[in-house]
Amino acid sequence: MKPSELKVSYLKANLKKGESYAGLILGKNGEPDYHLVLLPGDAQDVTWDQAKAFAKKAGGELPTRREQSLLFANLKEEFKGTWYWSGEAHSDARYAWGQSFFNGHQFHDHTSFQLRARAVRRLILS
């Protein structure tokens, strides 16, 4: 079996029902590379704290801003054309980052604002 066939086989074996493969995130500063998986389901009209709780209950986490860029590039059709929370806080703790899945823009919003949320999980490459 070719290495590329092994990777596809590995990924298929590790995807659960309803999950979508988003792509590979390259590690930075010595962190490992990993595969990003979008979990099924979403939350709408939730604050940032509610979004984080939703993601945890779904068995994942909110995506980082880098991960949201990959999700926009590879799985845009899995999202409504509106704003979604990321898991990243802004330097001003009253704000957190989000991304528009209409045009790909990223911006910070007050954590009390109500946006949508999706959860992801990561498959670390060893």
Side-chain angles (χ1 to χ4, degrees):
M1 192 177 274
K2 296 178 186 176
S4 60
E5 291 172 339
L6 284 172
K7 289 177 189 175
V8 170
S9 175
Y10 169 79
L11 290 172
K12 285 183 179 179
N14 283 283
L15 284 180
K16 299 172 185 168
K17 184 178 180 181
E19 293 182 337
S20 299
Y21 176 69
L24 178 67
I25 297 282
L26 300 177
K28 285 184 140 183
N29 301 321
E31 295 176 1
D33 298 342
Y34 61 93
H35 295 284
L36 186 67
V37 176
L38 179 65
L39 302 182
D42 70 339
Q44 59 184 355
D45 300 327
V46 292
T47 66
W48 191 52
D49 287 335
Q50 291 168 333
K52 291 187 294 183
F54 158 78
K56 185 175 181 179
K57 185 176 181 183
E61 297 178 52
L62 293 177
T64 66
R65 292 174 64 199
R66 259 180 96 204
E67 291 168 345
Q68 281 185 321
S69 293
L70 183 69
L71 291 165
F72 182 79
N74 292 343
L75 293 177
K76 181 180 175 184
E77 68 280 359
E78 296 287 332
F79 293 81
K80 304 284 184 194
T82 190
W83 288 91
Y84 286 79
W85 286 116
S86 83
E88 290 188 39
H90 187 267
S91 58
D92 179 337
R94 298 172 296 170
Y95 297 88
W97 288 94
Q99 175 159 324
S100 166
F101 278 83
F102 172 72
N103 59 19
H105 290 153
Q106 293 186 346
F107 194 73
H108 53 82
D109 283 313
H110 197 279
T111 58
S112 66
F113 287 3
Q114 294 183 336
L115 307 179
R116 295 182 79 97
R118 295 290 306 260
V120 296
R121 67 185 182 93
R122 300 160 186 97
L123 299 172
I124 305 294
L125 299 176
S126 49

